[in-house]
Amino acid sequence: MKTLLKNGLIVDGNNTKPYIGNVLIENDFIIAVGNIDIDDVDNIIELNGLTVAPGFIDTHSHSDLEILSQPEVLPKIMQGITTEILGQDGISMAPLPTKYINPWRKNLAGLDGESDTINWNYQTTKNYLKMIDDVKPGLNECYLVPHGNIRMEAMGLDNRQPTDEEIQKMCDITQREMENGAIGLSSGLIYMPCAYSKTDEIIAMCKIVAKYDGIFVVHQRSEADTIINSMKEIIDIGRKSGVKIHFSHFKVCGKKNWQYIDTMLHLIDEAEKEGIKISFDQYPYVAGSTMLGVILPPWVHDGGANKVLERLQDKTLRKKMIYDIEHGIDGWDNFIDFAGLDGIYITSVKHKQNENAVGLNLVELGKLKNKNPYDATFDLLLEEENAVGMVDFYGSEEHVKQFLQRPEMNACTDGLLSGKPHPRVYGAFPRILGKYVREEKTLKLEEAIYKMTKKPADTFHIAKRGQLKAGYYADITIFNKDTIIDKGTFTNPVQYPEGIHYVFVNGQMIIENKKHTGIRFGKVLRKQGN
């Protein structure tokens, strides 16, 4: 079947000047782009100047569980995203040894949600990706093998250093999962058990990833007080392993730490001069989102989520938690310190009796429960078995713009999908195009599209996607550049954006005249050659 997209403003992903032209699609592929006009087509869509771009690529997604239960992934496709990268922050779905299913589900719940409807006995990345294949995903899905899952399989969830044999086992698991289709390795060095690791452990795994021309995607140990040493560690991993480095959701948290930005960027510049390959992704907001359990000091997480729940029941240990939060621990990113109790908001819970907490900050939660904010928060985590999401306010618009303009940057959502989520889940990409391109002129249209398409495709070696080019897959997003904008807010985030008219995934029209067609035509994109 041939479809002609006629008279669109072509923004081809290459950071070149837009022009009016046509795109011809046949089956899964783009077969021509430019000043073409043929009669032998099955379908003509007259675009009247709407912008035609490659489908957007979300390089930091948390749809890992949602893709199995809601495979359309409407919050993503409705904002023009056609490919997303799962397995982020070092903790995700696979690999998952059977004996760790119970504690791992609790550990994962605050990020990716919870489900009793799926079969959790898949064990390996190969089997997990097969599950995604079987549900016929609405988007294309890539997977990073997570450091925490590897460590769990190799040595459990305890806070200790691995033996030489256990490091070798981690390397073997990494190799197995790269051969099973992972495109790289992720780590979240504020999340357990990743945070227990030392640099040498990560270097050993990254050497395996580098052999496969993969990428190391990392939520670094600190995005706050000790961010400079944190970045030096990650750059050293790239230097000693040869792996390509990609910083997740690049930022610095807390007003007192904004002084470090110039040094952060200087570190990147110097590393690139040295030949170390570095990139980062960014969502265009001044607030972040993660699991509420990260407010707890690191020692609370020793041994996994079940141990967290035991410690939260101990009144003496609660006092120690509060002391450590209020006085700090060297090297620990203390979210309450940089965002404040009044700057952290509950976004999701799993039990109905606590739904009245969603949308409240931790001070308001204390008032609702008639307790001090700490005990109210600890009680909520205990009652919800750690399955609580949050939003935290940390940044400034000036820095959002500064990072948007860096050549290493590409766009992402980093959105948790449960409850009352961060608005980036529904609107990160349209926000860049509406607010930062059209309204504030921080980027040119072609620059922004490049950062959403070809840049991430090149960075993650996603073959034949990210450009409007003959022979490439027909992942295409068509929008009105004069109206596109995010609509979700922090108080009412669940709103689809304005301005997305059509979306194609592998040549199939998934969004038609701003509405989902009910078709799912995504694919699992395994590492090329595997």
Side-chain angles (χ1 to χ4, degrees), residues 214-409:
I215 191 166
F216 178 48
V217 179
V218 60
H219 180 141
Q220 58 183 317
R221 284 189 206 275
S222 176
E223 296 180 325
D225 299 18
T226 57
I227 193 168
I228 299 305
N229 285 337
S230 175
M231 286 188 64
K232 287 179 179 178
E233 178 192 26
I234 303 306
I235 290 168
D236 198 44
I237 290 168
R239 177 182 295 115
K240 291 179 177 177
S241 70
V243 81
K244 181 188 293 184
I245 296 297
H246 185 85
F247 288 97
S248 294
H249 40 64
F250 193 67
K251 60 183 178 290
V252 62
C253 298
K255 190 172 183 179
K256 67 178 182 178
N257 298 316
W258 294 349
Q259 61 180 312
Y260 299 130
I261 287 178
D262 287 346
T263 305
M264 291 162 58
L265 298 178
H266 178 72
L267 284 174
I268 291 177
D269 291 338
E270 290 303 303
E272 288 172 339
K273 288 178 185 176
E274 190 182 332
I276 299 169
K277 295 179 180 177
I278 296 180
S279 55
F280 66 78
D281 52 41
Q282 177 192 10
Y283 50 81
Y285 297 85
V286 296
S289 180
T290 187
M291 60 177 79
L292 184 62
V294 299
I295 70 161
L296 301 174
W299 58 266
V300 181
H301 296 272
D302 288 1
N306 289 334
K307 291 293 186 182
V308 173
L309 301 180
E310 287 180 22
R311 294 180 181 114
L312 284 170
Q313 296 178 67
D314 187 316
K315 291 183 179 179
T316 301
L317 290 181
R318 283 193 178 197
K319 289 179 181 177
K320 177 170 169 51
M321 293 176 205
I322 294 170
Y323 180 89
D324 285 347
I325 290 169
E326 293 189 338
H327 293 83
I329 297 174
D330 187 42
W332 171 50
D333 268 13
N334 185 341
F335 278 71
I336 288 176
D337 176 58
F338 64 67
L341 290 164
D342 59 351
I344 296 174
Y345 288 77
I346 309 300
T347 60
S348 66
V349 295
K350 72 174 185 176
H351 293 125
K352 192 172 183 63
Q353 69 264 26
N354 284 318
E355 286 179 354
N356 59 352
V358 174
L360 302 181
N361 66 37
L362 301 188
V363 173
E364 294 167 337
L365 178 67
K367 292 177 181 176
L368 174 71
K369 302 293 187 180
N370 199 26
K371 302 173 183 176
N372 73 67
Y374 289 111
D375 280 322
T377 303
F378 298 159
D379 286 347
L380 182 66
L381 286 167
L382 185 59
E383 292 167 17
E384 294 297 317
E385 299 181 297
N386 201 40
V388 185
M390 76 172 196
V391 161
D392 57 290
F393 287 82
Y394 62 78
S396 81
E397 278 290 330
E398 176 188 347
H399 302 141
V400 169
K401 294 178 184 178
Q402 186 175 6
F403 294 149
L404 276 171
Q405 293 173 320
R406 285 288 302 193
E408 300 85 4
M409 178 267 176

Side-chain angles (χ1 to χ4, degrees), residues 144-164:
L144 300 161
V145 60
H147 174 197
N149 293 65
I150 294 170
R151 198 178 210 268
M152 173 175 58
E153 180 175 341
M155 56 179 292
L157 294 167
D158 293 339
N159 181 4
R160 65 177 178 85
Q161 293 310 300
T163 64
D164 290 344

Side-chain angles (χ1 to χ4, degrees), residues 88 96 192 194 264 284 315 366 447 497 499 508:
Q88 302 287 343
L96 178 54
M192 313 307 155
C194 307
M264 291 162 58
K315 291 183 179 179
E447 291 174 324
Q508 294 292 312

